[in-house]
Amino acid sequence: MNRPPLHHELYLIAHDNSGKPLVHQSSMALGLAGAVLLELALGDRLAATEGGVSVRDSTSVGDAVADSLIPLILRDRTARDIAFWTKKVAEDVYDRTRESLVSAGVLNRVTRRRLGVLSQTRHELADIASVVRACSGVRAAVEGREEPDARCAALCGLVGVLQVDAALYLGQPSNQLIGRLRGIAEESSRVVQDVVGTVDTLISEAAVAVYR
Amino acid sequence: MQPQESVEQFGYRQELRRGVGLTDLVFYGLIFMVPIAPFAIFGLVYSRSGGMPVLTYLIGMIALLFTAASYAQMVKAFPLSGSVYNYAGRGIAPPVGFLTGWAILLDYLLAPCLLYLVASIAINTTVPQVPVWAWLIIFVAVNTVINLRGIRMTVKLTKVLIIAELAVLALFLVVGVWALLQGRGREFSLAPLFNPDTFSWPLVFGAVSVAVLSFLGFDGISMLVEESTGGSAQVGRAMRLALILAGVLFVAQVWVAALLVPDPGGLLVRDTGTAFYDAATVAGGEWLAHVTSAATAISWGLANTLVAQVAVSRLLYAMARDRQLPSFLAKVSVKNSVPANATLLVATLSIVLGLWMSTREDGVDLLSSLINMGALVAFIVLHVSVIVHYVVRGRSPNLWSHLVMPLIGMAILVFVVINANILAQQVGLVWLGVGALVLLGLYVAGRRPTLRSFAVPEKSA
């Protein structure tokens, strides 16, 4: 069975059932951007080295957000690094991920009026099973029931960095759980370590940015 | 050789979106400096300077123009978002960077406390039924909630606030000059600029050590170098422009206020803390005093504290990430995207110190002297950084920019420090001594200072 893109899974884990984000949008966007880069890197489309990010294979991975990044990286002549591309992708990844989830029927756009006056649009889950599926690999890895593959380790690392561990409903102390999630990513491949570490740093830098 | 212009030369990549223009940079510097800053400390500067606040502000501006020139040189050499901590660390050596960061930490940590105290005193003159200490708690609480909620100053809001402050200033100047023309106050004179009866260099430089407070914040512009549309050259230009603009505004307002002071002799002997508002009352009546005090409260207590919080958070984050301060200060709340620990530390410190200072008659004086002491020491090291980086290491032939100007700037600042408040000098020395001990402790613990601030990690931690 084809698994949904990493950023779709992360989006679902990082929102509650009513569509409310569990973390600040700037943190969320950086996490989703990291997921897009990891999707491409783990699919052998990108190589991230100290010399910068480069394209290995320009064939589609079947995800509009990830596929649209490849031509951008191909056009870049300065071999920008992971941090640059994470910030670049983060500019619009949140809206694009949400729209693709709506198009796929995973989310429903619902408009209500608050206090009978203010219009508010939420993107609610169509079926809770999609979140359960997104969480299952991470839960199994944390509980030690399954050996995580690189993709699962990447998702664990991003869930840990975004501190949305409560969505896993594992009943463990948060600090311990986040430590375990990060640990899984650190034991994984170099690219997972690098991207997760970069997202972590950029989230901190966004928190102390002068303007946003 | 082309000036080093790119963060990429330091192994970093251009991370922040370049989108802040010259006007935005100048406005950011002005909001940090507060164009109406002398409203709050006018009486103090007037009494300390022997009734020559205009001369005091002019000397302060000139001294800091030299500092801005050194900033521009270091920003050009190291176009990284940081502070004097970064420049001294890279320009001289990491341990010097640590001690410089430690010195300016005194400024950054205490600045919010002073802002809250001044805002509380200002609003207390309008609503005296609520005591200063209660206002202080209200200001700290409101700002802490705003900061913890992740509400940040926007470029647009910065402009709106600056325009509002300038409008109040224009109102004071128009009403003040009109009042002087009508014969209220004293007739125009050069005494606020130079009074041979009271003049002495130590006196004026002692006053500069207080007045320089109004200019602090121009250095905050350097935090935006990676977002600047014109790079480091534009940041240097913005610093100069902001300083000159602020200097002109400060000189204009203190000149008019000095001519309107109702009891100049009494103010020379003792600052009441409300001298500017008393002058505003002479000019336009009670309503103008209320407008100016409310403007002071809002600009110091809300606008300026928001940017001050960003500055202190960034410095704490940078030093903690470099393992030079406890690591909990580098932790941020992912949920709200705010440096929660740094925010709470500043709030606690502001409450404790602010309540104590509100009980002291010289609270504002002492706090501002301490803040200035930290900043002045850091600025002196900045000048040294320019000389070491360009002349000693780089063998620069441009001796005017890289040796003479830093030396002049340094000499003025040293003279200001020598003539500053004795208690501030003592506390400043103790603070630096503690910093030296912490540095020693870092070496003993095998954590000698290295600079990594605002860099993407080489590998995940």
Side-chain angles (χ1 to χ4, degrees), chain A residues 24 26-27 80-81 83 87 186 193 201 204-205 207-212, chain B residues 8 13 15 28 150 152-153 158 314 317 334-335 337 339 457 460-461:
Chain A
H24 193 275
S26 67
S27 309
R80 311 274 190 172
D81 64 2
K87 294 207 104 180
E186 279 166 22
Q193 293 175 29
T201 303
S204 297
E205 289 185 9
V208 294
V210 176
Y211 288 121
R212 69 174 171 217
Chain B
E8 282 144 7
R13 301 290 174 184
E15 311 300 349
Y28 187 77
R152 196 67 54 82
M153 191 83 91
T158 307
R314 285 173 72 92
Y317 172 76
V334 181
K335 189 177 176 193
S337 189
S460 57

PDB file of all heavy atoms in Angstrom, chain A residues 24 26-27 80-81 83 87 186 193 201 204-205 207-212, chain B residues 8 13 15 28 150 152-153 158 314 317 334-335 337 339 457 460-461:
ATOM      1  N   HIS A  24       2.482  26.573  16.986  1.00  0.00           N
ATOM      2  CA  HIS A  24       2.477  27.841  16.254  1.00  0.00           C
ATOM      3  C   HIS A  24       2.738  27.590  14.765  1.00  0.00           C
ATOM      4  O   HIS A  24       3.494  26.689  14.404  1.00  0.00           O
ATOM      5  CB  HIS A  24       3.580  28.737  16.818  1.00  0.00           C
ATOM      6  CG  HIS A  24       3.483  30.156  16.378  1.00  0.00           C
ATOM      7  ND1 HIS A  24       4.023  30.602  15.192  1.00  0.00           N
ATOM      8  CD2 HIS A  24       2.912  31.230  16.958  1.00  0.00           C
ATOM      9  CE1 HIS A  24       3.788  31.893  15.071  1.00  0.00           C
ATOM     10  NE2 HIS A  24       3.122  32.302  16.131  1.00  0.00           N
ATOM     11  N   SER A  26       4.442  29.131  12.531  1.00  0.00           N
ATOM     12  CA  SER A  26       5.811  29.226  11.999  1.00  0.00           C
ATOM     13  C   SER A  26       6.591  27.950  12.311  1.00  0.00           C
ATOM     14  O   SER A  26       7.361  27.461  11.483  1.00  0.00           O
ATOM     15  CB  SER A  26       6.526  30.455  12.560  1.00  0.00           C
ATOM     16  OG  SER A  26       6.756  30.319  13.938  1.00  0.00           O
ATOM     17  N   SER A  27       6.373  27.387  13.513  1.00  0.00           N
ATOM     18  CA  SER A  27       7.023  26.114  13.865  1.00  0.00           C
ATOM     19  C   SER A  27       6.489  25.007  12.962  1.00  0.00           C
ATOM     20  O   SER A  27       7.252  24.189  12.432  1.00  0.00           O
ATOM     21  CB  SER A  27       6.746  25.749  15.325  1.00  0.00           C
ATOM     22  OG  SER A  27       7.036  26.805  16.192  1.00  0.00           O
ATOM     23  N   ARG A  80      22.534  25.828  -2.392  1.00  0.00           N
ATOM     24  CA  ARG A  80      22.081  26.238  -1.059  1.00  0.00           C
ATOM     25  C   ARG A  80      21.940  25.014  -0.158  1.00  0.00           C
ATOM     26  O   ARG A  80      21.752  23.913  -0.628  1.00  0.00           O
ATOM     27  CB  ARG A  80      20.723  26.941  -1.155  1.00  0.00           C
ATOM     28  CG  ARG A  80      20.650  28.028  -2.192  1.00  0.00           C
ATOM     29  CD  ARG A  80      21.139  29.311  -1.631  1.00  0.00           C
ATOM     30  NE  ARG A  80      20.860  30.405  -2.546  1.00  0.00           N
ATOM     31  CZ  ARG A  80      21.044  31.660  -2.222  1.00  0.00           C
ATOM     32  NH1 ARG A  80      21.504  31.993  -1.048  1.00  0.00           N
ATOM     33  NH2 ARG A  80      20.793  32.616  -3.076  1.00  0.00           N
ATOM     34  N   ASP A  81      21.977  25.277   1.144  1.00  0.00           N
ATOM     35  CA  ASP A  81      21.961  24.152   2.077  1.00  0.00           C
ATOM     36  C   ASP A  81      20.549  23.803   2.564  1.00  0.00           C
ATOM     37  O   ASP A  81      19.558  24.420   2.159  1.00  0.00           O
ATOM     38  CB  ASP A  81      22.908  24.414   3.245  1.00  0.00           C
ATOM     39  CG  ASP A  81      22.444  25.599   4.062  1.00  0.00           C
ATOM     40  OD1 ASP A  81      21.384  26.172   3.742  1.00  0.00           O
ATOM     41  OD2 ASP A  81      23.139  25.963   5.025  1.00  0.00           O
ATOM     42  N   ALA A  83      19.105  24.324   5.385  1.00  0.00           N
ATOM     43  CA  ALA A  83      18.404  25.395   6.096  1.00  0.00           C
ATOM     44  C   ALA A  83      17.724  26.354   5.117  1.00  0.00           C
ATOM     45  O   ALA A  83      16.580  26.763   5.330  1.00  0.00           O
ATOM     46  CB  ALA A  83      19.386  26.157   6.972  1.00  0.00           C
ATOM     47  N   LYS A  87      13.587  26.864   4.828  1.00  0.00           N
ATOM     48  CA  LYS A  87      12.899  28.151   4.957  1.00  0.00           C
ATOM     49  C   LYS A  87      12.113  28.494   3.702  1.00  0.00           C
ATOM     50  O   LYS A  87      11.029  29.054   3.759  1.00  0.00           O
ATOM     51  CB  LYS A  87      13.898  29.268   5.266  1.00  0.00           C
ATOM     52  CG  LYS A  87      14.548  29.123   6.621  1.00  0.00           C
ATOM     53  CD  LYS A  87      14.973  30.435   7.183  1.00  0.00           C
ATOM     54  CE  LYS A  87      13.988  30.833   8.256  1.00  0.00           C
ATOM     55  NZ  LYS A  87      14.294  32.096   8.887  1.00  0.00           N
ATOM     56  N   GLU A 186      17.970  10.386  15.766  1.00  0.00           N
ATOM     57  CA  GLU A 186      19.432  10.474  15.848  1.00  0.00           C
ATOM     58  C   GLU A 186      20.121   9.153  15.523  1.00  0.00           C
ATOM     59  O   GLU A 186      21.269   9.139  15.095  1.00  0.00           O
ATOM     60  CB  GLU A 186      19.850  10.964  17.245  1.00  0.00           C
ATOM     61  CG  GLU A 186      19.725  12.469  17.367  1.00  0.00           C
ATOM     62  CD  GLU A 186      19.789  12.945  18.806  1.00  0.00           C
ATOM     63  OE1 GLU A 186      20.323  12.207  19.650  1.00  0.00           O
ATOM     64  OE2 GLU A 186      19.290  14.055  19.064  1.00  0.00           O
ATOM     65  N   GLN A 193      19.100  12.933  10.453  1.00  0.00           N
ATOM     66  CA  GLN A 193      19.699  13.714  11.546  1.00  0.00           C
ATOM     67  C   GLN A 193      19.850  15.181  11.140  1.00  0.00           C
ATOM     68  O   GLN A 193      19.494  16.089  11.895  1.00  0.00           O
ATOM     69  CB  GLN A 193      21.088  13.169  11.883  1.00  0.00           C
ATOM     70  CG  GLN A 193      21.098  11.794  12.490  1.00  0.00           C
ATOM     71  CD  GLN A 193      22.536  11.296  12.683  1.00  0.00           C
ATOM     72  OE1 GLN A 193      23.451  12.081  12.872  1.00  0.00           O
ATOM     73  NE2 GLN A 193      22.721  10.004  12.625  1.00  0.00           N
ATOM     74  N   THR A 201      16.761  23.868  14.909  1.00  0.00           N
ATOM     75  CA  THR A 201      17.455  25.159  15.027  1.00  0.00           C
ATOM     76  C   THR A 201      16.605  26.297  14.465  1.00  0.00           C
ATOM     77  O   THR A 201      16.503  27.369  15.073  1.00  0.00           O
ATOM     78  CB  THR A 201      18.796  25.106  14.263  1.00  0.00           C
ATOM     79  OG1 THR A 201      19.557  24.032  14.786  1.00  0.00           O
ATOM     80  CG2 THR A 201      19.581  26.393  14.428  1.00  0.00           C
ATOM     81  N   SER A 204      13.868  27.475  16.735  1.00  0.00           N
ATOM     82  CA  SER A 204      14.373  28.345  17.808  1.00  0.00           C
ATOM     83  C   SER A 204      14.658  29.744  17.272  1.00  0.00           C
ATOM     84  O   SER A 204      14.341  30.746  17.902  1.00  0.00           O
ATOM     85  CB  SER A 204      15.663  27.770  18.398  1.00  0.00           C
ATOM     86  OG  SER A 204      15.401  26.530  18.993  1.00  0.00           O
ATOM     87  N   GLU A 205      15.264  29.810  16.095  1.00  0.00           N
ATOM     88  CA  GLU A 205      15.597  31.118  15.535  1.00  0.00           C
ATOM     89  C   GLU A 205      14.335  31.908  15.185  1.00  0.00           C
ATOM     90  O   GLU A 205      14.295  33.129  15.346  1.00  0.00           O
ATOM     91  CB  GLU A 205      16.503  30.959  14.314  1.00  0.00           C
ATOM     92  CG  GLU A 205      17.893  30.498  14.730  1.00  0.00           C
ATOM     93  CD  GLU A 205      18.877  30.427  13.583  1.00  0.00           C
ATOM     94  OE1 GLU A 205      18.556  30.897  12.480  1.00  0.00           O
ATOM     95  OE2 GLU A 205      19.978  29.901  13.799  1.00  0.00           O
ATOM     96  N   ALA A 207      11.640  31.787  16.809  1.00  0.00           N
ATOM     97  CA  ALA A 207      11.063  32.257  18.070  1.00  0.00           C
ATOM     98  C   ALA A 207      11.731  33.535  18.562  1.00  0.00           C
ATOM     99  O   ALA A 207      11.135  34.280  19.340  1.00  0.00           O
ATOM    100  CB  ALA A 207      11.180  31.168  19.138  1.00  0.00           C
ATOM    101  N   VAL A 208      12.981  33.788  18.149  1.00  0.00           N
ATOM    102  CA  VAL A 208      13.655  35.013  18.589  1.00  0.00           C
ATOM    103  C   VAL A 208      13.858  35.998  17.428  1.00  0.00           C
ATOM    104  O   VAL A 208      14.655  36.919  17.536  1.00  0.00           O
ATOM    105  CB  VAL A 208      15.016  34.707  19.276  1.00  0.00           C
ATOM    106  CG1 VAL A 208      14.815  33.954  20.582  1.00  0.00           C
ATOM    107  CG2 VAL A 208      15.946  33.933  18.369  1.00  0.00           C
ATOM    108  N   ALA A 209      13.134  35.779  16.342  1.00  0.00           N
ATOM    109  CA  ALA A 209      13.262  36.686  15.189  1.00  0.00           C
ATOM    110  C   ALA A 209      12.732  38.068  15.550  1.00  0.00           C
ATOM    111  O   ALA A 209      11.834  38.197  16.380  1.00  0.00           O
ATOM    112  CB  ALA A 209      12.493  36.121  14.001  1.00  0.00           C
ATOM    113  N   VAL A 210      13.290  39.079  14.929  1.00  0.00           N
ATOM    114  CA  VAL A 210      12.867  40.456  15.222  1.00  0.00           C
ATOM    115  C   VAL A 210      11.446  40.699  14.719  1.00  0.00           C
ATOM    116  O   VAL A 210      10.576  41.172  15.438  1.00  0.00           O
ATOM    117  CB  VAL A 210      13.845  41.461  14.575  1.00  0.00           C
ATOM    118  CG1 VAL A 210      13.363  42.884  14.793  1.00  0.00           C
ATOM    119  CG2 VAL A 210      15.234  41.277  15.156  1.00  0.00           C
ATOM    120  N   TYR A 211      11.234  40.381  13.466  1.00  0.00           N
ATOM    121  CA  TYR A 211       9.901  40.528  12.873  1.00  0.00           C
ATOM    122  C   TYR A 211       9.409  39.172  12.393  1.00  0.00           C
ATOM    123  O   TYR A 211      10.208  38.317  12.046  1.00  0.00           O
ATOM    124  CB  TYR A 211       9.955  41.432  11.642  1.00  0.00           C
ATOM    125  CG  TYR A 211      10.162  42.892  11.931  1.00  0.00           C
ATOM    126  CD1 TYR A 211      11.260  43.569  11.418  1.00  0.00           C
ATOM    127  CD2 TYR A 211       9.258  43.606  12.700  1.00  0.00           C
ATOM    128  CE1 TYR A 211      11.451  44.913  11.662  1.00  0.00           C
ATOM    129  CE2 TYR A 211       9.442  44.952  12.951  1.00  0.00           C
ATOM    130  CZ  TYR A 211      10.534  45.607  12.423  1.00  0.00           C
ATOM    131  OH  TYR A 211      10.719  46.937  12.666  1.00  0.00           O
ATOM    132  N   ARG A 212       8.107  38.977  12.357  1.00  0.00           N
ATOM    133  CA  ARG A 212       7.571  37.791  11.685  1.00  0.00           C
ATOM    134  C   ARG A 212       6.178  38.088  11.184  1.00  0.00           C
ATOM    135  O   ARG A 212       5.579  39.044  11.568  1.00  0.00           O
ATOM    136  CB  ARG A 212       7.591  36.589  12.586  1.00  0.00           C
ATOM    137  CG  ARG A 212       6.647  36.617  13.756  1.00  0.00           C
ATOM    138  CD  ARG A 212       6.697  35.281  14.472  1.00  0.00           C
ATOM    139  NE  ARG A 212       5.969  35.312  15.703  1.00  0.00           N
ATOM    140  CZ  ARG A 212       6.345  34.667  16.815  1.00  0.00           C
ATOM    141  NH1 ARG A 212       7.433  33.969  16.820  1.00  0.00           N
ATOM    142  NH2 ARG A 212       5.610  34.711  17.895  1.00  0.00           N
TER     143      ARG A 212
ATOM    144  N   GLU B   8      27.460  33.771   3.673  1.00  0.00           N
ATOM    145  CA  GLU B   8      27.893  32.470   3.163  1.00  0.00           C
ATOM    146  C   GLU B   8      29.397  32.288   3.307  1.00  0.00           C
ATOM    147  O   GLU B   8      29.903  31.178   3.334  1.00  0.00           O
ATOM    148  CB  GLU B   8      27.451  32.308   1.710  1.00  0.00           C
ATOM    149  CG  GLU B   8      25.974  31.954   1.638  1.00  0.00           C
ATOM    150  CD  GLU B   8      25.263  32.569   0.468  1.00  0.00           C
ATOM    151  OE1 GLU B   8      25.932  33.175  -0.375  1.00  0.00           O
ATOM    152  OE2 GLU B   8      24.037  32.443   0.394  1.00  0.00           O
ATOM    153  N   ARG B  13      24.408  30.165   5.502  1.00  0.00           N
ATOM    154  CA  ARG B  13      23.657  30.519   4.295  1.00  0.00           C
ATOM    155  C   ARG B  13      22.723  31.670   4.628  1.00  0.00           C
ATOM    156  O   ARG B  13      22.415  31.918   5.788  1.00  0.00           O
ATOM    157  CB  ARG B  13      22.833  29.322   3.810  1.00  0.00           C
ATOM    158  CG  ARG B  13      23.670  28.113   3.501  1.00  0.00           C
ATOM    159  CD  ARG B  13      24.515  28.332   2.268  1.00  0.00           C
ATOM    160  NE  ARG B  13      25.407  27.210   2.075  1.00  0.00           N
ATOM    161  CZ  ARG B  13      26.311  27.151   1.124  1.00  0.00           C
ATOM    162  NH1 ARG B  13      26.488  28.155   0.301  1.00  0.00           N
ATOM    163  NH2 ARG B  13      27.078  26.097   0.998  1.00  0.00           N
ATOM    164  N   GLU B  15      19.689  32.974   5.556  1.00  0.00           N
ATOM    165  CA  GLU B  15      18.512  32.309   6.089  1.00  0.00           C
ATOM    166  C   GLU B  15      17.277  33.204   6.090  1.00  0.00           C
ATOM    167  O   GLU B  15      16.188  32.781   5.763  1.00  0.00           O
ATOM    168  CB  GLU B  15      18.763  31.882   7.547  1.00  0.00           C
ATOM    169  CG  GLU B  15      20.059  31.134   7.783  1.00  0.00           C
ATOM    170  CD  GLU B  15      20.138  29.873   7.000  1.00  0.00           C
ATOM    171  OE1 GLU B  15      19.129  29.460   6.432  1.00  0.00           O
ATOM    172  OE2 GLU B  15      21.237  29.290   6.929  1.00  0.00           O
ATOM    173  N   TYR B  28      12.957  51.118  12.980  1.00  0.00           N
ATOM    174  CA  TYR B  28      13.188  50.130  14.040  1.00  0.00           C
ATOM    175  C   TYR B  28      14.147  50.702  15.089  1.00  0.00           C
ATOM    176  O   TYR B  28      13.917  50.573  16.294  1.00  0.00           O
ATOM    177  CB  TYR B  28      13.746  48.823  13.469  1.00  0.00           C
ATOM    178  CG  TYR B  28      13.825  47.729  14.507  1.00  0.00           C
ATOM    179  CD1 TYR B  28      12.676  47.046  14.888  1.00  0.00           C
ATOM    180  CD2 TYR B  28      15.023  47.421  15.127  1.00  0.00           C
ATOM    181  CE1 TYR B  28      12.732  46.063  15.865  1.00  0.00           C
ATOM    182  CE2 TYR B  28      15.080  46.440  16.111  1.00  0.00           C
ATOM    183  CZ  TYR B  28      13.937  45.762  16.471  1.00  0.00           C
ATOM    184  OH  TYR B  28      13.994  44.802  17.441  1.00  0.00           O
ATOM    185  N   GLY B 150       3.249  35.266  21.828  1.00  0.00           N
ATOM    186  CA  GLY B 150       3.953  35.286  20.546  1.00  0.00           C
ATOM    187  C   GLY B 150       3.566  36.458  19.670  1.00  0.00           C
ATOM    188  O   GLY B 150       3.814  36.459  18.468  1.00  0.00           O
ATOM    189  N   ARG B 152       4.221  39.767  18.083  1.00  0.00           N
ATOM    190  CA  ARG B 152       5.484  40.422  17.792  1.00  0.00           C
ATOM    191  C   ARG B 152       5.222  41.731  17.048  1.00  0.00           C
ATOM    192  O   ARG B 152       4.230  41.885  16.338  1.00  0.00           O
ATOM    193  CB  ARG B 152       6.322  39.490  16.921  1.00  0.00           C
ATOM    194  CG  ARG B 152       7.786  39.813  16.810  1.00  0.00           C
ATOM    195  CD  ARG B 152       8.550  39.644  18.100  1.00  0.00           C
ATOM    196  NE  ARG B 152       8.399  38.335  18.701  1.00  0.00           N
ATOM    197  CZ  ARG B 152       9.085  37.262  18.338  1.00  0.00           C
ATOM    198  NH1 ARG B 152       9.930  37.331  17.363  1.00  0.00           N
ATOM    199  NH2 ARG B 152       8.911  36.124  18.949  1.00  0.00           N
ATOM    200  N   MET B 153       6.125  42.651  17.256  1.00  0.00           N
ATOM    201  CA  MET B 153       6.038  43.918  16.537  1.00  0.00           C
ATOM    202  C   MET B 153       6.164  43.661  15.036  1.00  0.00           C
ATOM    203  O   MET B 153       7.016  42.876  14.619  1.00  0.00           O
ATOM    204  CB  MET B 153       7.182  44.810  16.996  1.00  0.00           C
ATOM    205  CG  MET B 153       7.083  46.220  16.547  1.00  0.00           C
ATOM    206  SD  MET B 153       6.039  47.151  17.627  1.00  0.00           S
ATOM    207  CE  MET B 153       7.233  47.744  18.787  1.00  0.00           C
ATOM    208  N   THR B 158       5.469  49.198  13.758  1.00  0.00           N
ATOM    209  CA  THR B 158       6.611  50.049  14.109  1.00  0.00           C
ATOM    210  C   THR B 158       6.403  51.449  13.535  1.00  0.00           C
ATOM    211  O   THR B 158       6.594  52.457  14.217  1.00  0.00           O
ATOM    212  CB  THR B 158       7.915  49.448  13.536  1.00  0.00           C
ATOM    213  OG1 THR B 158       8.023  48.104  13.963  1.00  0.00           O
ATOM    214  CG2 THR B 158       9.133  50.207  14.009  1.00  0.00           C
ATOM    215  N   ARG B 314      17.252  37.332  22.102  1.00  0.00           N
ATOM    216  CA  ARG B 314      18.233  36.935  21.083  1.00  0.00           C
ATOM    217  C   ARG B 314      19.625  36.785  21.695  1.00  0.00           C
ATOM    218  O   ARG B 314      20.356  35.860  21.373  1.00  0.00           O
ATOM    219  CB  ARG B 314      18.265  37.955  19.942  1.00  0.00           C
ATOM    220  CG  ARG B 314      17.076  37.850  19.007  1.00  0.00           C
ATOM    221  CD  ARG B 314      17.079  38.974  18.007  1.00  0.00           C
ATOM    222  NE  ARG B 314      18.118  38.820  17.007  1.00  0.00           N
ATOM    223  CZ  ARG B 314      17.961  38.212  15.840  1.00  0.00           C
ATOM    224  NH1 ARG B 314      16.789  37.674  15.549  1.00  0.00           N
ATOM    225  NH2 ARG B 314      18.936  38.128  14.975  1.00  0.00           N
ATOM    226  N   TYR B 317      19.618  33.721  23.923  1.00  0.00           N
ATOM    227  CA  TYR B 317      19.579  32.539  23.056  1.00  0.00           C
ATOM    228  C   TYR B 317      20.965  32.284  22.452  1.00  0.00           C
ATOM    229  O   TYR B 317      21.471  31.160  22.480  1.00  0.00           O
ATOM    230  CB  TYR B 317      18.545  32.750  21.952  1.00  0.00           C
ATOM    231  CG  TYR B 317      18.564  31.677  20.880  1.00  0.00           C
ATOM    232  CD1 TYR B 317      18.014  30.428  21.125  1.00  0.00           C
ATOM    233  CD2 TYR B 317      19.156  31.903  19.645  1.00  0.00           C
ATOM    234  CE1 TYR B 317      18.049  29.436  20.159  1.00  0.00           C
ATOM    235  CE2 TYR B 317      19.195  30.922  18.675  1.00  0.00           C
ATOM    236  CZ  TYR B 317      18.638  29.695  18.936  1.00  0.00           C
ATOM    237  OH  TYR B 317      18.674  28.714  17.980  1.00  0.00           O
ATOM    238  N   VAL B 334       7.710  25.782  21.383  1.00  0.00           N
ATOM    239  CA  VAL B 334       7.354  25.494  19.992  1.00  0.00           C
ATOM    240  C   VAL B 334       5.883  25.828  19.757  1.00  0.00           C
ATOM    241  O   VAL B 334       5.492  26.301  18.700  1.00  0.00           O
ATOM    242  CB  VAL B 334       7.613  23.997  19.681  1.00  0.00           C
ATOM    243  CG1 VAL B 334       7.270  23.674  18.249  1.00  0.00           C
ATOM    244  CG2 VAL B 334       9.062  23.654  19.960  1.00  0.00           C
ATOM    245  N   LYS B 335       5.097  25.619  20.791  1.00  0.00           N
ATOM    246  CA  LYS B 335       3.659  25.844  20.654  1.00  0.00           C
ATOM    247  C   LYS B 335       3.351  27.298  20.290  1.00  0.00           C
ATOM    248  O   LYS B 335       2.524  27.580  19.429  1.00  0.00           O
ATOM    249  CB  LYS B 335       2.956  25.470  21.961  1.00  0.00           C
ATOM    250  CG  LYS B 335       1.460  25.464  21.822  1.00  0.00           C
ATOM    251  CD  LYS B 335       0.786  25.034  23.096  1.00  0.00           C
ATOM    252  CE  LYS B 335      -0.720  25.151  22.900  1.00  0.00           C
ATOM    253  NZ  LYS B 335      -1.433  25.045  24.153  1.00  0.00           N
ATOM    254  N   SER B 337       5.912  29.571  19.641  1.00  0.00           N
ATOM    255  CA  SER B 337       7.069  30.116  18.939  1.00  0.00           C
ATOM    256  C   SER B 337       7.612  31.353  19.644  1.00  0.00           C
ATOM    257  O   SER B 337       7.743  32.423  19.050  1.00  0.00           O
ATOM    258  CB  SER B 337       6.713  30.449  17.483  1.00  0.00           C
ATOM    259  OG  SER B 337       7.880  30.781  16.773  1.00  0.00           O
ATOM    260  N   PRO B 339      10.540  32.583  22.947  1.00  0.00           N
ATOM    261  CA  PRO B 339      11.554  32.159  23.915  1.00  0.00           C
ATOM    262  C   PRO B 339      10.981  32.282  25.319  1.00  0.00           C
ATOM    263  O   PRO B 339      11.249  33.259  26.030  1.00  0.00           O
ATOM    264  CB  PRO B 339      12.702  33.135  23.655  1.00  0.00           C
ATOM    265  CG  PRO B 339      12.053  34.346  23.085  1.00  0.00           C
ATOM    266  CD  PRO B 339      10.780  33.936  22.431  1.00  0.00           C
ATOM    267  N   PRO B 457      23.333  24.068  12.757  1.00  0.00           N
ATOM    268  CA  PRO B 457      24.298  23.113  13.294  1.00  0.00           C
ATOM    269  C   PRO B 457      24.914  22.253  12.213  1.00  0.00           C
ATOM    270  O   PRO B 457      24.284  21.971  11.199  1.00  0.00           O
ATOM    271  CB  PRO B 457      23.452  22.261  14.240  1.00  0.00           C
ATOM    272  CG  PRO B 457      22.068  22.387  13.735  1.00  0.00           C
ATOM    273  CD  PRO B 457      21.958  23.739  13.138  1.00  0.00           C
ATOM    274  N   SER B 460      22.915  17.210  13.659  1.00  0.00           N
ATOM    275  CA  SER B 460      21.936  17.308  14.732  1.00  0.00           C
ATOM    276  C   SER B 460      22.593  17.024  16.065  1.00  0.00           C
ATOM    277  O   SER B 460      23.468  16.188  16.177  1.00  0.00           O
ATOM    278  CB  SER B 460      20.805  16.325  14.498  1.00  0.00           C
ATOM    279  OG  SER B 460      21.340  15.046  14.400  1.00  0.00           O
ATOM    280  N   ALA B 461      22.112  17.751  17.071  1.00  0.00           N
ATOM    281  CA  ALA B 461      22.758  17.641  18.381  1.00  0.00           C
ATOM    282  C   ALA B 461      22.451  16.290  19.008  1.00  0.00           C
ATOM    283  O   ALA B 461      21.480  15.670  18.712  1.00  0.00           O
ATOM    284  CB  ALA B 461      22.258  18.734  19.282  1.00  0.00           C
TER     285      ALA B 461
END
